[in-house]
Every structure is written in structure tokens, then in C-alpha cells.
Amino acid sequence: MARPRSSSRTNGSAKKVVRYAVIGLGHIAQAAVLPAFRHAKRNSALTALVSGTDKKSRELGRRYGIGRVCSYDDIDELFASGAIDAVYIALPNDQHKEYAIKAARAGLHVLCEKPMAVTARECEAMIRAARKAGVKLMIAYRLHFERANLEAAQLVCSGKLGDGRFFSSEFSMQVRDDNIRLRSAKRGGGALYDIGIYCINAARYCFGEDPVAVWASAARRDDRRFRNVDETIVAAMRFKGERLATFTCSFGAADRSTYTVTGARGSITLDPAYEYAVGLSYEMRIGERKRKKAFGKSDQFAPELLYFSDCVLKGRDPEPSGEEGLADVRIIEGMLRSIESGRWTVLERRPRKRRPTLRQQIRRPAVKREPKLVAAASASQ
Amino acid sequence: MARPRSSSRTNGSAKKVVRYAVIGLGHIAQAAVLPAFRHAKRNSALTALVSGTDKKSRELGRRYGIGRVCSYDDIDELFASGAIDAVYIALPNDQHKEYAIKAARAGLHVLCEKPMAVTARECEAMIRAARKAGVKLMIAYRLHFERANLEAAQLVCSGKLGDGRFFSSEFSMQVRDDNIRLRSAKRGGGALYDIGIYCINAARYCFGEDPVAVWASAARRDDRRFRNVDETIVAAMRFKGERLATFTCSFGAADRSTYTVTGARGSITLDPAYEYAVGLSYEMRIGERKRKKAFGKSDQFAPELLYFSDCVLKGRDPEPSGEEGLADVRIIEGMLRSIESGRWTVLERRPRKRRPTLRQQIRRPAVKREPKLVAAASASQ
């Protein structure tokens, strides 16, 4: 096992920049991750690209001036080369574990897209591997650095809306027929893993708690897109203090991206709540008083890079950690079991102390225009 | 059994006005029903008041110039007097059945507040009694005459938003400690009967279908208001065509009154959706296009009187009928069973043909100011 890069770099007095390989060049990598490096130059460098499609790595390598591009066949060589310090994993969900562990074992720090993996068992293996290798592991919850969401969490947790009573959310889109999200849930496909996770995560950071039990139910039309995966899922979560959360997520409906937390005294509604390609905004209501606040479009990916690179360079433990990623995957697994059983799934309690706070906010300018995609398409129609 | 009043009046060529007794002088009667008669003069007259509290009937009788006021002890005499043609039942939910049947047997037409009754069995008894007596029976679903809600239903049913995929709603308030709504569900108390019914009814008129199965779960804080009744209920409904609906209703949270229907192509959000003391409004979204429409405050009770009196005078069967009221009560009972069992309650199919349409819209000017209440208080804090 290679020596972790953190110490080598933090101890060095030379330029403090973490060199990344982006692994997987699908839509999210091309539309958001690669362009974000421009806004994270202070401590992050895009150094290598890995893709199974030559055309992608060639064209994108040229566009971003990256000399080091390779396929998965040559990834061990890249990992051992000493040319990179960290990986950004933007692979299909069922490949997160394999490449996260491979990177950790090579002494590389791991920033991994959410969902962290398909099963809690996979997440735990990733956490163990990172710990054993002494590398940093972070899950890419971009909204943990985004002001509208952090303010919402703060407003609820501060008690300004009174005791938080219930959370309600909708997240939906029309997914393209050939999209990878339409693979079976066993392979990490489906609306719960892809977008339901945002609703789950938002309820958790707004209530500052993890649910004690979860429930879900699913529906699917006779539509070829939904051969392997449910179309729409409704879910509920119970939290300590008799708080309830519900959400609906769907791959077969028009765009919705919103949540409301209602407290004893007031409520806050984010709409849009979860997007990265547009600015987010919220409306807070307390009694007759309404306050709207709009947040201009910003780059939500550069903050993750800036924060994670700082953790690497300064030897800090990142949060959203592997434990945070695991918490959501456990809930998704619980919901999938509930869909089968028709009953609530009671979750084992695993207390977590660290929650997203406003101090974590990092704002970077928006990517002006979505880059031209190379052999990739957005998820939605 | 007395002769039904419909024939006596429709056959008469004299003035065609239905004479009402309002039974029960709680908040809704005082705040909304009594003042509505002013906007329904064309065919409806407020002729008698019945209350168990002398002070109420005396003061309100004076205010509205009603000579005939009586207590429940003297109701048989009032019913037999020939002075009234119909009753507006604004009693506690668990007394609807008794007085509806008593009125029907006296040959009086019955306009009854929702929920129609506490159990489906009670509803069925009311329907039978009205049929047997040949009197009209209508349940007071004020939103079946209200433009914002009727337009929403029309937009969804017309397919303008694409196939309707899911419905999501929140209805909540902080109920006063001593309010009758806090009696046990067995007596018709609780958020499902009082406000959840709006969410249920809205999902039904938007989808133009009744649910095939329902589910619910409840929570209650350690708060003296929730000794006998749940605080918050989350519920789900499955409709034909793999459509799902969810809602949250609560007596222990700040005001929320909203629903969204999301179709394959667009969505419509009503906010506020269910109120009568303020104007309602909606926002429709199709692709990037958003259209807002606000409906000024209007009297939502006078339309019910106008419509019901027309039904009486012209011998038409009113819709929202007893069957409509029964449909919601069956669903509420199914949800209460689900709260106990932790499982979906499958509902027996009872096809209904008539659904609210825009043709039913009746707009009357708003009641300018809520009348001063006599020995009554609004439900919310």
C-alpha cells in the first residue's frame, strides 16, 4: 500500500495544491465537475482523466489541457504514478466502491459522488479502506456548502420557526429512456438513489437528526423506461420528537425540486431546492410575515473541491464524511425493504454529531454556460 | 313522516326561496354560514337558528333579525312547524347523523358540513334517510364551487399537464387547546376529519378518481392538546394508473395550506389552497413557463346555499352528494385502520361518475369582515 498523499503534501512547503484525477466522464463530470476546477485553483488541480470511452478522454483532455488521460485498464498505473493525490469518483453508483477502495489502497484521497454506494455494506468497506490507508474520504453533498440549504437548516435548528414538526418534499424529472439511472435498484438505479437521496439528506440536515424508522411505496406505469426500476416513490420518515417527513421522487413526471419544513411557529419553503444549474431560493413564513430570498446561480462543485483539498492539505476530517454517505444509503436500503414488506423499517440508531452548518458555506461564481457534452447526455428529457 | 318540502315549493308559483334553519352556532356558523345568507338572497333565506347556548341564539337572532330561535329541546317543534324547508347542519361531527336523519324524516332538505359523519355506516344511514324521505342531501364542500380549485382539477383532468402523476399536500394549523377538534377520532375529532379531508378530496377531484388503497401514520408530542387525538398525520393514497398522492395534516404546526399536482408535462401548485378567509391562488408550470393566477377573496359559503337551494327548487340531485361525503369518510376510516395496522388499507371499489367541474363555479363577494363571535372562538391559536 502506498503512503497516503496527505502527509507528504501537508509537510511539504512547496505549492499546496491537491492534484485530482476525475474518474468517469459522464454528464455530471462534464457539466459540473471538470469546469469547477477553474473556480478551485487555489488548492485544487485537474491533473488526469479516466474514461472507458477514448473519444471522451481525448476531447476533454484537449479542452482542459490535461496531458494524463487513460482508460480503466491503465488506472493502476495512473494511481501508482505519483502524478495525482486524489480522485473524484463520478462513476455509475455500483462502481463507487471498487474504485474508491482501489484509490485508497494506492494512497489517494477519495471524493466520491453520492449515493456513496449501493449498499451499506459497500459504504462500510469504503470507510474501512480509507481509514486503513490513512486517506481522506468525502461524499460529494454539494448542498452542504450551499447557502439557501444551509440557511434553511440553520433556521429550523435554531428554533426560529418553533420546534420543527414536519418536512415535505418533491423531486421529479422526466428521465431519458437510455439513462443509466434506469438500471435496477440492485445496481444503484432508480429515483431513490439518484434524487430521493436529496430529500432524505435535506430532512436530516433540517431536523439535525437521523430517522428512527422509514417507509416507502412505489408505482410504475407501463412505460419502457420503467422496465427495471420504479417510476415514482413516496416515502416517509419518523424522527425523534414525533417529527415526520414525507417526500415523493419520480423519474416519470415534470420537474419539481422543492421542500418545506414546517415548525410550530413558521415554515420555510425552498423552490428550487436541489438544483445546481439555476439559482436557489426560499420563502420563510412566520405568522403573516413572508420573507423571500433568492440566491443567484453559483458553482456548487468548486466549493466541494476547495473544502476537500483544504481537508487533505491541513489534515482535517471532511464532513460530509463516509459516515454521512452511509447514513443515507442505510435509509435507502430501509426504504427498499419497506417497499417489499409494506411495513416500516426500523433503523438501528447510529448517532452522528456533525451536521452541516452555515460556517461551511463556500460561494464560487457560476459556470457561465454548460460545456458542450462529449458522448454524454443530461439525465432528463 | 312529513311531506318533503321540495315539491311543495317547486310546484308553488309564489316566491321561490328555500327557508333554512342553521343548526349549531359554533365558529364556522358564525364566521361564515350566517353572513353568507346575505349573498344568497336570490333563493335562500335564513329563517331559524338552533343552539344549545341561549346567549348565542339570542344575540345572533337579534343581529340577523331572526325571530325563530330555539334549543335542541324544541327542535322537533321547529321541524314540524312548516316554517322551514331545509337545515344547514354545522354541529360537531358526531352529531351530523342524528340531526340529518331527524331533519330528513321531518321532510326537510339537508345541507351538512363535512366530514359528513364519523363512520361510513353513519353516512349510509343518512343517505338512506334522505332517499326514503325524498329530500335533497348535500355535503358542504365549498371548494367544489371555488374557481382556483376547479381550474386546477380541470387542468389536470384535461391533460394539459400531461398525465397526472402525483399529488402532494400540506394542511396544518395550531389548534387551540379547548377546541372541539381535539376530541378523539371516535367522536370525529382529529386532523384527518377536519383538515386531512380537504387533501383527500382535492386529490380525488384532481385525479377524477377514487383511491384504491390508502395508508397513514401518526405522531403526537407530549402536549396536553394531544391527549385524545394525534397531532400530525402523514398519509398516502394509490390511484388507478399508478398515480400516488401524499399529504401531511397537523394540528400542532404553523399554517400551511397547499397542494401540488405534478403531471408528465407540468405542475400546478395552489397556495393557499384550502382557505376561505383569504383569496386563493395558483402557479402553473409547464417547462420553463410559469403562470400565476390569484383569485380575490370571495364568499365560499353563499355559493353552496345558492346551488343547494336551486337543487331543492328545481328538483335536481345535488353534487357534492351524500355519496361524495361517504367516499371521503370511507377513506378516513381506511387511514385510521392503517394507522393501527401499519399497512395499506385496500378500499372496496365504488365507482363515482360525477366530479366537480368548472361549470359548478359560483362567485359571490367576500364577507367584508368576520362577524364578532358570540361565545365561540376560531379553531386556531
Side-chain angles (χ1 to χ4, degrees), chain A residues 165 168 170 174 215 217-221 231 238 242 254 256 260 262-266 271 285 343-344, chain B residues 165 168 170 174 215 217-221 231 238 242 254 256 260 262-266 271 285 341 343-344:
Chain A
R165 302 313 303 143
S168 177
E170 296 158 59
Q174 284 288 11
W215 172 92
S217 191
R220 62 171 96 175
R221 262 181 301 171
E231 175 188 359
R238 303 188 74 95
E242 297 290 298
R256 292 285 295 160
T260 297
T262 303
R265 290 182 55 225
D271 186 359
R285 300 182 188 179
R343 297 195 157 270
W344 285 89
Chain B
R165 303 312 304 142
S168 177
E170 296 157 58
Q174 285 287 10
W215 173 92
S217 191
R220 59 170 97 174
R221 261 181 302 173
E231 175 188 0
R238 303 188 74 94
E242 298 291 298
R256 293 284 297 160
T260 297
T262 303
R265 291 181 55 223
D271 187 359
R285 300 182 189 179
S341 72
R343 296 195 157 271
W344 285 90

Side-chain angles (χ1 to χ4, degrees), chain A residues 30-67:
Chain A
Q30 294 192 36
V33 181
L34 299 183
F37 280 92
R38 199 171 155 249
H39 298 137
K41 277 183 191 159
R42 177 170 62 74
N43 60 10
S44 310
L46 176 59
T47 304
L49 301 177
V50 183
S51 169
T53 310
D54 272 0
K55 180 183 160 73
K56 285 187 189 178
S57 29
R58 212 171 44 239
E59 287 195 28
L60 293 165
R62 199 161 46 225
R63 185 184 298 168
Y64 289 96
I66 310 301

Side-chain angles (χ1 to χ4, degrees), chain A residues 41-313:
Chain A
K41 277 183 191 159
R42 177 170 62 74
N43 60 10
S44 310
L46 176 59
T47 304
L49 301 177
V50 183
S51 169
T53 310
D54 272 0
K55 180 183 160 73
K56 285 187 189 178
S57 29
R58 212 171 44 239
E59 287 195 28
L60 293 165
R62 199 161 46 225
R63 185 184 298 168
Y64 289 96
I66 310 301
R68 251 181 200 277
V69 299
C70 73
S71 73
Y72 296 102
D73 293 339
D74 303 322
I75 207 168
D76 290 330
E77 200 184 317
L78 171 69
F79 282 8
S81 67
I84 57 169
D85 309 300
V87 295
Y88 189 114
I89 295 180
L91 287 159
N93 299 337
D94 60 348
Q95 293 173 47
H96 288 186
K97 182 197 108 180
E98 178 187 346
Y99 286 91
I101 292 178
K102 196 188 274 284
R105 288 191 179 149
L108 301 173
H109 305 285
V110 177
L111 176 48
C112 181
E113 261 302 332
K114 70 196 160 314
M116 183 174 176
V118 181
T119 64
R121 186 186 288 262
E122 288 183 353
C123 296
E124 284 157 357
M126 290 162 74
I127 291 169
R128 276 197 307 272
R131 195 173 294 146
K132 195 167 162 199
V135 299
K136 304 296 177 195
L137 169 63
M138 174 171 135
I139 311 306
Y141 286 98
R142 54 187 167 76
L143 298 178
H144 287 212
F145 305 93
E146 190 281 320
R147 181 129 199 136
N149 279 274
L150 292 173
E151 283 195 14
Q154 161 116 339
L155 280 164
V156 180
C157 293
S158 72
K160 185 154 183 179
L161 307 176
D163 186 42
R165 302 313 303 143
F166 61 88
F167 170 99
S168 177
S169 181
E170 296 158 59
F171 198 2
S172 58
M173 59 165 115
Q174 284 288 11
V175 167
R176 276 179 210 268
D177 192 4
D178 55 352
N179 193 272
I180 192 163
R181 288 163 179 78
L182 297 173
R183 302 196 305 175
S184 80
K186 287 200 173 59
R187 302 187 65 190
L192 270 180
Y193 280 111
D194 190 56
I195 54 180
I197 193 172
Y198 284 87
C199 311
I200 293 166
N201 201 255
R204 291 176 54 239
Y205 54 70
C206 285
F207 285 153
E209 287 278 347
D210 284 359
V212 294
V214 299
W215 172 92
S217 191
R220 62 171 96 175
R221 262 181 301 171
D222 185 17
D223 177 318
R224 61 189 307 272
R225 292 179 296 167
F226 308 120
R227 292 184 300 278
N228 302 314
V229 78
D230 288 317
E231 175 188 359
T232 302
I233 289 139
V234 293
M237 296 183 271
R238 303 188 74 95
F239 291 78
K240 229 175 61 182
E242 297 290 298
R243 291 163 165 180
L244 292 167
T246 56
F247 66 84
T248 305
C249 58
S250 179
F251 277 166
D255 290 348
R256 292 285 295 160
S257 167
T258 181
Y259 68 81
T260 297
V261 189
T262 303
R265 290 182 55 225
S267 63
I268 184 164
T269 299
L270 272 75
D271 186 359
Y274 303 122
E275 307 302 292
Y276 66 86
V278 295
L280 308 186
S281 58
Y282 70 66
E283 182 176 277
M284 184 172 69
R285 300 182 188 179
I286 297 180
E288 300 293 301
R289 201 159 56 86
K290 293 183 184 185
R291 201 179 114 216
K292 288 194 188 212
K293 200 164 167 186
F295 301 79
K297 192 181 158 185
S298 68
D299 181 344
Q300 293 181 12
F301 290 77
E304 300 183 296
L305 295 170
L306 287 163
Y307 172 81
F308 186 61
S309 295
D310 268 346
C311 287
V312 167
L313 295 170

Side-chain angles (χ1 to χ4, degrees), chain B residues 104-116:
Chain B
R105 288 189 178 150
L108 302 172
H109 305 286
V110 177
L111 176 48
C112 180
E113 262 301 333
K114 72 199 157 311
M116 183 173 175

Side-chain angles (χ1 to χ4, degrees), chain B residues 59-75:
Chain B
E59 285 194 29
L60 293 165
R62 196 160 48 224
R63 185 184 298 169
Y64 289 96
I66 309 300
R68 249 179 203 278
V69 301
C70 74
S71 73
Y72 296 101
D73 294 339
D74 303 321
I75 206 166

